[in-house]
């Protein structure tokens, strides 16, 4: 079977966030899916298979980190939609049936793919004991992001504080069910993005994820409320970065980005 590695939320190879993508006829046993994801050893590997015509979705979609299955993943969904459109397996809008519900992905004329995800609910919470020490930075505010992504959204004082983080991953592992999203407003209003973020997910086997689409279902409502605008652009990452365009639509968040296939080959398993 064909296996591909796609860099998502970027228009050039070796940037953005890489994801493995396998298109299947059906889902094999979970243990096999997990073994493939561990072998690929990227933050997520996406597995998809076509569904019968006439239903609420066109493809079934699942995502696995090297250690576990997750409820929601943006960059691997973008990577899957990119593969479907570039191989001719799909046109227009593709509907995916996933653990978090039905997700849409629409290919635009300029190559951008716009995804339709549920907006994550934000609940203010007290700063957990040890979180500032684990991050190594002063915290402005903390929000819980709900069940599907299970992260703590942590605002820091400025962009420099986010960029310079060097967390204690062992300590962060116990802070939330999935991860910690550190964020701040962009320092330069003319820099091409409105806010920055970095995502740390040691609890699911990923110390740092370069560009986390699902995190932007929480970042979008957070910063849209702050800036008073529904359309924003986020820059995520440390050494490797990518841009995510967000559009808040009430209980849905649109995530836009581009992708490029960098590896294609045969899986012998």
């Amino acid at each position: 079977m064909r296996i591909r590695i796609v860099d998502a939320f970027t228009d050039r190879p070796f940037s953005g966030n890489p994801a493995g993508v396998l298109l299947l006829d059906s889902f094999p046993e979970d243990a096999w899916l997990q073994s493939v994801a561990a072998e690929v050893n990227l933050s997520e590997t996406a597995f998809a298979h076509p569904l019968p015509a006439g239903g609420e979705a066109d493809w079934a979609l699942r995502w696995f980190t090297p250690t576990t299955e997750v409820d929601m993943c943006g960059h691997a969904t973008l990577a899957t939609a990119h593969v479907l459109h570039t191989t001719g397996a799909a046109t227009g809008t593709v509907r995916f049936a996933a653990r978090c519900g039905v997700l849409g992905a629409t290919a635009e004329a300029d190559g951008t793919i716009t995804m339709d995800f549920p907006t994550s609910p934000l609940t203010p919470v007290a700063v957990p004991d040890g979180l500032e020490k684990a991050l190594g930075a002063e915290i402005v505010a903390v929000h819980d992001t709900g069940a599907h992504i299970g992260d703590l959204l942590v605002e820091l004082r400025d962009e420099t504080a986010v960029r310079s983080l060097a967390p204690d991953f062992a300590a962060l592992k116990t802070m939330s069910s999935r991860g910690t999203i550190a964020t701040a407003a962009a320092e330069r209003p003319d820099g091409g993005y409105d806010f920055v973020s970095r995502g740390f997910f040691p609890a699911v086997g990923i110390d740092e994820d370069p560009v986390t689409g699902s995190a932007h279902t929480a970042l979008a409502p957070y910063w849209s409320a702050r800036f008073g605008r529904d359309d924003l652009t986020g820059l995520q990452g440390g050494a490797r970065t990518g841009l995510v365009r967000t559009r808040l639509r009430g209980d849905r968040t649109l995530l836009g980005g581009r992708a490029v296939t960098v590896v294609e080959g045969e899986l012998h398993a």
Side-chain angles (χ1 to χ4, degrees):
M1 64 196 72
R2 303 300 290 173
I3 184 169
R4 298 168 176 87
I5 295 176
V6 177
D7 288 345
F9 293 114
T10 182
D11 59 0
R12 59 184 62 88
F14 315 126
S15 58
N17 197 358
V21 178
L22 280 88
L23 304 182
L24 306 168
D25 294 327
S26 61
F27 289 140
E29 294 180 356
D30 289 2
W32 186 88
L33 299 173
Q34 188 64 73
S35 294
V36 172
E39 185 75 11
V40 174
N41 200 32
L42 295 173
S43 57
E44 258 92 13
T45 298
F47 302 90
H49 72 75
L51 295 171
E56 66 174 0
D58 309 301
W59 289 74
L61 180 61
R62 297 172 71 180
W63 313 278
F64 286 77
T65 78
T67 62
T68 191
E69 185 173 9
V70 296
D71 282 356
M72 184 189 293
C73 178
H75 85 280
T77 303
L78 175 58
T80 304
H82 169 79
V83 169
L84 291 174
H85 284 99
T86 56
T87 61
T91 58
T93 297
V94 181
R95 300 166 301 164
F96 295 107
R99 285 171 62 162
C100 59
V102 175
L103 311 173
T106 302
E108 311 292 347
D110 64 355
T112 299
I113 293 174
T114 300
M115 302 179 293
D116 183 342
F117 271 59
T119 301
S120 294
L122 295 174
T123 304
V125 296
V127 178
D129 291 341
L131 182 58
E132 282 194 331
K133 183 178 180 180
L135 282 175
E138 179 183 350
I139 293 173
V140 175
V142 180
H143 287 73
D144 181 83
T145 60
H148 281 315
I149 62 175
D151 296 332
L152 290 178
L153 180 62
V154 180
E155 183 183 354
L156 303 185
R157 65 179 181 276
D158 54 32
E159 180 175 339
T160 299
V162 174
R163 289 183 175 272
S164 61
L165 287 173
D168 179 341
F169 295 118
L172 274 186
K173 190 174 183 178
T174 64
M175 295 293 168
S176 66
S177 60
R178 190 180 80 157
T180 302
I181 309 161
T183 187
E187 291 181 354
R188 292 177 48 201
D190 60 347
Y193 53 91
D194 301 290
F195 59 88
V196 297
S197 65
R198 290 174 68 186
F200 308 106
F201 308 99
V204 293
I206 309 160
D207 283 347
E208 180 166 7
D209 192 38
V211 193
T212 312
S214 60
H216 286 74
T217 65
L219 289 161
Y222 187 80
W223 288 112
S224 288
R226 183 72 60 85
F227 294 133
R229 291 185 285 123
D230 289 337
D231 291 24
L232 300 172
T233 299
L235 173 72
Q236 184 180 337
R240 183 170 177 148
T241 63
L243 291 171
V244 182
R245 291 174 177 83
T246 68
R247 179 174 297 170
L248 189 63
R249 292 293 181 265
D251 63 355
R252 307 296 293 185
T253 295
L254 304 184
L255 307 174
R258 305 184 76 170
V260 56
T261 301
V262 293
V263 176
E264 182 174 353
E266 290 289 332
L267 176 65
H268 298 281

